[in-house]
């Protein structure tokens, strides 16, 4: 059982800053920030989970069954991630590409200390409470110095020179690979596939909290995440929800369709309108909606899969995005893990048909995706859950000094390789900005 108390606070943003810095003393940290973005389905402004009481870490083999047993045994809050390569547990697939990050395929932990912030209400939940521990921690958090992000933080190598970010696939190779993917589409092997490329640097040294705060500040997405597991870090500015469960309702909100923001209001509104009317972008989005509907139908009650929003335009700090919302209803007895397993990996990061797309992706991409295009989030004690899509993210292994971020786009029959390349660079803009 958890000890639960509530506090009233005055400054939501200040407390979030203090929580994040105070949390760095712990080996395991998950910090989730909605940035007060007006999403239709949001429970909290911010969640912080730290300090594992129990944990599960495994490769893809039997991973979903292992986490199912873990979730059923703990019946508690669990925080962690599902990597893209768990596809190999679901289907007869493989991941043989280069992996410089070396993260486990799956990791979840049951936090000793949990903090939930909504408006001015700050809820604290502790396991195995010591005398006055909540009060002493609350005092330490609220008295933590207000640290401002250093806008001059740079990524550096041991010699103190600025580290060079390299591209795993050259522009020429990228264009050739997209052309090859188009040939698969024209042959009818697939209708659509998400093709990604990695940017990386070796001998990297950085302050993860400061880089995360810079990334979050310029993006302000609804699914921002700071993750730490000892020397492994995810600094995530994701705008996309993968899957959420509220009671018997399951919600998926895939993104397909991207357009630039402009400082001039007229140009910005024009960009938004052009995205909404772009037949290629709408076609991409509708294909993924159909895939998600099919995925949700595996666990849905008959006739309950509904498209609540189709191709709606949402504006973020750096880009406009086309988002659809698909919902379903599940029976009380349906396992949360079964819902995740039958929809994973998410359609927006794979393609259609999903299995064929994933095989072609593996052949053409040069890097193992790992946590990128996986999902990070939490389970509640009531069998609900909420997970984002890990995109617009920096991954960092401090032990082997390897830093990576990947970007991708959806390739359909209407794709122009040069334009897809430019879309990837647009999505990479925020990461380049905070690292240079």
């Amino acid at each position: 059982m958890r000890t639960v108390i509530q506090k009233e606070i005055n400054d939501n943003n200040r407390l979030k800053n203090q929580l994040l810095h105070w949390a760095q003393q712990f080996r395991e940290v998950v910090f989730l920030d909605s940035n007060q973005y007006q999403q239709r389905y949001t429970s909290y402004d911010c969640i912080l989970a730290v300090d594992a009481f129990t944990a599960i870490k495994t490769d893809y083999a039997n991973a979903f069954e292992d986490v199912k047993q873990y979730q059923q045994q703990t019946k508690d809050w669990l925080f962690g991630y599902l990597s893209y390569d768990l596809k190999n547990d679901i289907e007869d697939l493989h991941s043989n590409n280069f992996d410089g990050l070396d993260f486990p395929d799956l990791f979840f932990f049951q936090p000793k200390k949990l903090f939930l912030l909504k408006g001015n209400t700050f809820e604290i939940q502790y396991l195995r409470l010591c005398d006055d521990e909540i009060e002493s921690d609350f005092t330490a958090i609220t008295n933590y110095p207000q640290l401002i992000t250093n806008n001059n933080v740079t990524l550096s190598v041991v010699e103190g020179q600025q580290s060079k970010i390299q591209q795993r696939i050259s522009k020429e190779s990228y264009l050739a690979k997209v052309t090859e993917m188009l040939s698969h589409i024209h042959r009818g092997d697939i209708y659509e596939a998400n093709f990604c490329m990695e940017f990386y640097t070796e001998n990297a040294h950085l302050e993860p909290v400061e880089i995360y705060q810079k990334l979050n500040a310029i993006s302000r997405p609804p699914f921002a995440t700071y993750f730490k597991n000892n020397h492994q870090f995810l600094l995530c500015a994701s705008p996309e929800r993968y899957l959420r469960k509220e009671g018997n309702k399951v919600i998926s909100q895939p993104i397909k369709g991207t357009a630039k923001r402009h400082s001039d209001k007229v140009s910005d509104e024009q960009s938004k309108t052009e995205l909404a009317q772009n037949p290629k972008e709408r076609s991409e989005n509708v294909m993924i909606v159909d895939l998600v509907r099919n995925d949700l139908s595996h666990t849905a009650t008959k006739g309950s899969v509904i498209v609540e929003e189709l191709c709606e335009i949402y504006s973020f700090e750096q880009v406009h995005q086309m988002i659809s919302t698909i919902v379903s209803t599940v029976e009380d007895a349906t396992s949360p893990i079964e819902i995740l397993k039958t929809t994973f990996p998410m359609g927006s990061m794979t393609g259609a048909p999903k299995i064929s797309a994933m095989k072609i992706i593996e052949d053409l991409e040069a890097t193992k995706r790992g946590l990128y295009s996986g999902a990070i989030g939490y389970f509640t004690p009531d069998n609900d859950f909420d997970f984002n899509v890990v995109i617009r993210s920096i991954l960092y292994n401090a032990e082997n000094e390897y830093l990576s971020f990947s970007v991708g786009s959806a390739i359909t029959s209407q794709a122009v390789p040069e334009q897809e390349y430019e879309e990837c660079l647009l999505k990479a803009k925020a990461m380049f900005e905070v690292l240079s």
Side-chain angles (χ1 to χ4, degrees):
M1 290 290 294
R2 290 185 175 270
T3 300
V4 180
I5 69 167
Q6 289 187 342
K7 302 276 190 179
E8 290 298 310
I9 55 100
N10 296 320
D11 191 335
N12 186 302
N13 288 324
R14 178 183 176 89
L15 183 64
K16 286 196 289 187
N17 185 291
Q18 292 167 319
L19 275 171
L20 179 59
H21 284 89
W22 174 84
Q24 298 315 304
Q25 63 189 289
F26 300 102
R27 177 188 172 101
E28 303 89 6
V29 179
V30 170
F31 179 81
L32 307 171
D33 188 357
S34 73
N35 284 297
Q36 280 82 45
Y37 191 88
Q38 296 303 308
Q39 279 279 30
R40 293 186 65 181
Y41 299 98
T42 302
S43 297
Y44 303 100
D45 296 336
C46 169
I47 302 176
L48 172 67
V50 298
D51 198 11
F53 180 62
T54 63
I56 181 173
K57 177 176 72 173
T58 184
D59 64 12
Y60 67 83
N62 210 43
F64 280 99
E65 184 59 34
D66 290 345
V67 77
K68 179 179 180 180
Q69 292 182 16
Y70 179 57
Q71 193 253 343
Q72 289 176 342
Q73 288 167 0
T74 57
K75 295 183 175 64
D76 194 13
W77 290 87
L78 300 177
F79 289 78
Y81 67 77
L82 310 163
S83 81
Y84 174 80
D85 297 289
L86 292 183
K87 64 183 174 59
N88 306 334
D89 184 36
I90 303 167
E91 304 291 347
D92 183 18
L93 298 168
H94 306 280
S95 296
N96 300 317
N97 289 328
F98 172 77
D99 177 17
L101 286 162
D102 196 29
F103 280 40
D105 289 334
L106 178 146
F107 175 78
F108 281 91
F109 72 97
Q110 178 187 17
K112 292 180 186 175
K113 303 183 179 188
L114 178 62
F115 306 87
L116 307 163
L117 181 61
K118 182 70 172 178
N120 293 327
T121 301
F122 184 45
E123 184 173 303
I124 305 171
Q125 299 189 15
Y126 276 25
L127 277 175
R128 297 294 176 97
L129 189 67
C130 299
D131 290 343
D132 299 324
E133 189 175 7
I134 287 181
E135 290 301 330
S136 62
D137 281 352
F138 180 71
T139 299
I141 292 165
T142 52
N143 288 327
Y144 208 94
Q146 180 73 354
L147 300 177
I148 305 301
T149 301
N150 179 3
N151 290 324
N152 296 316
V153 171
T154 57
L155 182 67
S156 61
V157 293
V158 176
E159 293 79 6
Q161 308 210 348
Q162 189 172 351
S163 183
K164 184 178 180 182
I165 298 173
Q166 302 179 67
Q167 202 167 306
R168 183 69 61 185
I169 300 174
S170 69
K171 180 178 180 180
E172 293 74 18
S173 179
Y174 175 91
L175 297 177
K177 286 173 180 287
V178 171
T179 300
E180 186 174 347
M181 187 165 279
L182 281 168
S183 71
H184 282 286
I185 294 171
H186 296 147
R187 283 202 304 267
D189 300 332
I190 51 174
Y191 305 110
E192 175 179 2
N194 190 278
F195 180 62
C196 302
M197 62 175 173
E198 181 197 25
F199 295 87
Y200 71 98
T201 188
E202 298 167 327
N203 303 316
H205 296 258
L206 74 160
E207 292 296 331
V209 173
E210 293 191 47
I211 295 296
Y212 164 76
Q213 287 188 304
K214 288 179 70 177
L215 184 63
N216 190 33
I218 64 174
S219 302
R220 299 190 61 78
F223 301 104
T225 305
Y226 175 93
F227 167 83
K228 172 189 175 187
N229 179 22
N230 194 13
H231 56 265
Q232 297 167 338
F233 297 87
L234 168 70
L235 320 174
C236 177
S238 175
E240 183 172 2
R241 168 176 279 129
Y242 157 45
L243 210 61
R244 176 180 174 90
K245 179 177 177 288
E246 292 181 354
N248 297 96
K249 188 172 186 177
V250 178
I251 304 107
S252 178
Q253 295 180 297
I255 290 178
K256 270 290 163 274
T258 305
K260 289 181 182 179
R261 296 295 310 265
H262 298 273
S263 55
D264 174 67
K265 288 185 178 180
V266 174
S267 299
D268 193 54
E269 195 62 33
Q270 182 179 354
S271 178
K272 187 176 176 180
T273 301
E274 288 174 354
L275 175 60
Q277 298 174 350
N278 187 307
K280 173 187 174 293
E281 303 284 20
R282 291 186 69 87
S283 173
E284 287 180 12
N285 196 292
V286 169
M287 282 189 214
I288 297 306
V289 167
D290 286 342
L291 190 154
V292 171
R293 289 172 63 205
N294 181 67
D295 283 351
L296 291 179
S297 70
H298 293 298
T299 55
T301 58
K302 187 175 181 180
S304 69
V305 180
I306 298 169
V307 179
E308 284 191 346
E309 292 181 306
L310 183 64
C311 299
E312 292 291 326
I313 306 302
Y314 287 75
S315 298
F316 300 93
E317 293 293 314
Q318 302 219 341
V319 292
H320 300 295
Q321 302 273 201
M322 186 180 288
I323 303 178
S324 293
T325 300
I326 309 99
V327 302
S328 67
T329 303
V330 296
E331 300 284 359
D332 289 338
T334 304
S335 162
I337 308 303
E338 187 66 17
I339 300 168
L340 292 166
K341 184 177 180 180
T342 52
T343 57
F344 194 83
M346 60 291 300
S348 62
M349 297 305 295
T350 51
K354 187 186 280 191
I355 297 172
S356 297
M358 288 191 290
K359 287 179 179 177
I360 293 167
I361 286 166
E362 183 69 25
D363 289 341
L364 292 178
E365 291 183 354
T367 309
K368 178 181 175 181
R369 288 193 183 181
L371 182 47
Y372 171 71
S373 74
I376 191 163
Y378 61 88
F379 297 96
T380 75
D382 301 319
N383 281 335
D384 288 343
F385 58 75
D386 202 1
F387 286 88
N388 75 0
V389 178
V390 178
I391 52 175
R392 321 288 163 84
S393 300
I394 296 168
L395 289 151
Y396 176 50
N397 188 324
E399 186 174 61
N400 64 15
E401 301 176 347
Y402 188 87
L403 182 144
S404 168
F405 62 91
S406 296
V407 290
S409 68
I411 310 302
T412 68
S413 62
Q414 302 174 63
V416 177
E418 189 78 35
Q419 292 176 2
E420 299 300 327
Y421 184 78
E422 292 302 319
E423 181 176 327
C424 287
L425 295 185
L426 174 62
K427 291 173 179 175
K429 180 183 175 184
M431 279 82 79
F432 274 112
E433 189 172 327
V434 302
L435 293 173
S436 61

